[in-house]
Amino acid sequence: MEERKAGNQTSAREFVLLGISNAPEVQFLLFLLFLVIYVVTMTGNILIVLLVVANRHLHTPMYFFLGNLSCLETCYSSTILPQLLAGLLTGDRTISVPGCLTQLYFFGFLAASECYLLAAMSYDRYVAICKPLHYAVRMKARNCLLLVAGSWTGGFLGSTIMMALVSQLRFCAPNEIDHFFCDFTPLIQLSCGDTSLTTWVTLILSSIETLAPFLLTMTSYACIVVTILRIPSTSGRQKAFSTCSSHLTVVTVFYGTIIMVYVVPKNRTLRELNKVFSVFYTLLTPLVNPLVYSLRNREVKEALGKVLHTFFGPNCQQKLHRSQRGTAS
């Protein structure tokens, strides 16, 4: 760092994203893979949003949260994947400094909002299973709207404070970011000024925006598990667990990959695998959401069946019903 400060004080006007792999023979294969992921992610999440809006049977708190989560995942994928796909296809991996900071801003905003939103969804499942008699009062429309608005606002405020500090930094050559998108840690390493304040404030904000929602989510599911185990009948336990299994799967994938990327100490091997874990965190998590909720949720399947029946006739709906029976068995 001192050598960089002394030898090269030229301000960087653009960055070079080194990407996932420099091997030319795999660039097109990666492009096809990530293009499929992007198309499926966008299609699945937009479809869930449309189903939740159009189908009155899905106008419940759980699906209100799900619709917001799918909307968030759509924006989340569009923050990273288009730039990555363009770099893989054209070979031009440069990104301007304002473009990089914009990507970092929306990435932080949407990731923090997802943490809050997943916590709100876990609270919804906690009330539904542990306090069913209070569900109608606690999860009325106004409270659900406040929870969702608080999730988006919390992510917005934290990311805005972080960006206000990052935008004041001066970035010097070398301008290569050893990642496939503009993440905070590899970006801050390119600064030729004092980054201690920015680093500490970002660390505090990240802890608030991830640790607090994570603890709330885990507490909710601990209470849910205890309540389910107290149900005397096996069928009753299975029915209660099925109402939260989809959300629990999404939470496990989301926080599991976050822990691998940002919490686990980076020895040499893990540092080399960090990009692979980041792919799961940034690209595959938005893909998991529509797949999990569509494959494991009966009401979403029924709503989708009605849409297929309307546009494609009864044969598609019959096939969907058969797949439902197969999944249930």
Side-chain angles (χ1 to χ4, degrees):
M1 180 66 74
E2 293 299 327
E3 182 179 345
R4 181 195 307 170
K5 290 180 180 179
N8 196 342
Q9 286 290 330
T10 304
S11 295
R13 296 185 178 181
E14 63 183 20
F15 297 117
V16 178
L17 297 171
L18 297 184
I20 298 174
S21 172
N22 292 323
E25 60 272 13
V26 301
Q27 299 302 302
F28 188 67
L29 293 177
L30 288 174
F31 170 79
L32 292 178
L33 173 63
F34 292 140
L35 179 62
V36 171
I37 290 175
Y38 186 51
V39 170
V40 174
T41 299
M42 296 295 289
T43 303
N45 281 295
I46 291 174
L47 181 59
I48 287 180
V49 172
L50 294 177
L51 289 176
V52 171
V53 171
N55 194 304
R56 61 183 181 86
H57 296 294
L58 301 183
H59 292 176
T60 63
M62 182 174 74
Y63 294 107
F64 175 66
F65 291 128
L66 175 59
N68 274 272
L69 180 63
S70 293
C71 180
L72 187 150
E73 300 284 29
T74 301
C75 300
Y76 190 60
S77 297
S78 299
T79 299
I80 296 174
L81 269 167
Q83 174 71 32
L84 175 60
L85 290 171
L88 289 171
L89 184 62
T90 65
D92 182 9
R93 299 182 180 182
T94 60
I95 183 172
S96 66
V97 172
C100 186
L101 295 181
T102 300
Q103 186 182 65
L104 174 63
Y105 173 77
F106 282 103
F107 169 73
F109 163 43
L110 295 169
S113 298
E114 183 162 357
C115 291
Y116 289 123
L117 190 56
L118 289 175
M121 295 176 74
S122 68
Y123 176 73
D124 171 71
R125 293 298 84 204
Y126 161 76
V127 177
I129 294 175
C130 302
K131 307 287 183 181
L133 298 180
H134 300 163
Y135 188 80
V137 175
R138 291 194 183 185
M139 303 308 298
K140 57 186 178 181
R142 179 176 178 274
N143 293 343
C144 293
L145 187 61
L146 288 175
L147 285 172
V148 168
S151 299
W152 288 92
T153 303
F156 168 76
L157 291 176
S159 188
T160 300
I161 295 172
M162 176 195 71
M163 190 50 56
L165 295 171
V166 174
S167 62
Q168 302 301 314
L169 299 177
R170 183 164 171 258
F171 300 98
C172 304
N175 61 342
E176 294 180 342
I177 297 178
D178 190 16
H179 217 317
F180 59 88
F181 71 100
C182 293
D183 201 2
F184 176 81
T185 301
L187 176 63
I188 208 73
Q189 292 173 351
L190 302 183
S191 175
C192 47
D194 183 13
T195 62
S196 56
L197 176 62
T198 303
T199 301
W200 277 107
V201 171
T202 302
L203 177 62
I204 293 171
L205 289 173
S206 300
S207 300
I208 294 173
E209 293 178 334
T210 56
L211 184 59
F214 175 73
L215 292 177
L216 178 59
T217 301
M218 292 299 99
T219 301
S220 297
Y221 273 105
C223 296
I224 288 172
V225 169
V226 170
T227 301
I228 290 177
L229 292 178
R230 290 176 179 173
I231 298 175
S233 65
T234 303
S235 61
R237 289 195 295 269
Q238 291 176 344
K239 183 178 180 180
F241 182 74
S242 67
T243 64
C244 60
S245 59
S246 298
H247 179 251
L248 183 58
T249 302
V250 172
V251 167
T252 302
V253 173
F254 181 74
Y255 280 110
T257 50
I258 282 182
I259 291 171
M260 294 301 298
V261 172
Y262 295 110
V263 178
V264 174
K266 298 294 186 295
N267 58 35
R268 182 175 180 180
T269 303
L270 287 179
R271 192 180 298 113
E272 293 174 354
L273 292 175
N274 190 57
K275 291 181 185 179
V276 178
F277 295 139
S278 296
V279 169
F280 283 90
Y281 166 45
T282 58
L283 307 184
L284 296 186
T285 299
L287 176 66
V288 166
N289 174 37
L291 292 178
V292 168
Y293 279 102
S294 60
L295 294 176
R296 303 186 59 149
N297 193 294
R298 179 179 56 83
E299 291 174 308
V300 172
K301 285 184 179 180
E302 290 178 352
L304 180 59
K306 291 178 181 179
V307 172
L308 293 176
H309 177 75
T310 301
F311 288 97
F312 302 105
N315 290 334
C316 288
Q317 191 176 18
Q318 291 172 2
K319 291 179 181 179
L320 187 64
H321 285 321
R322 286 198 293 269
S323 70
Q324 284 181 291
R325 289 195 295 270
T327 303
S329 61

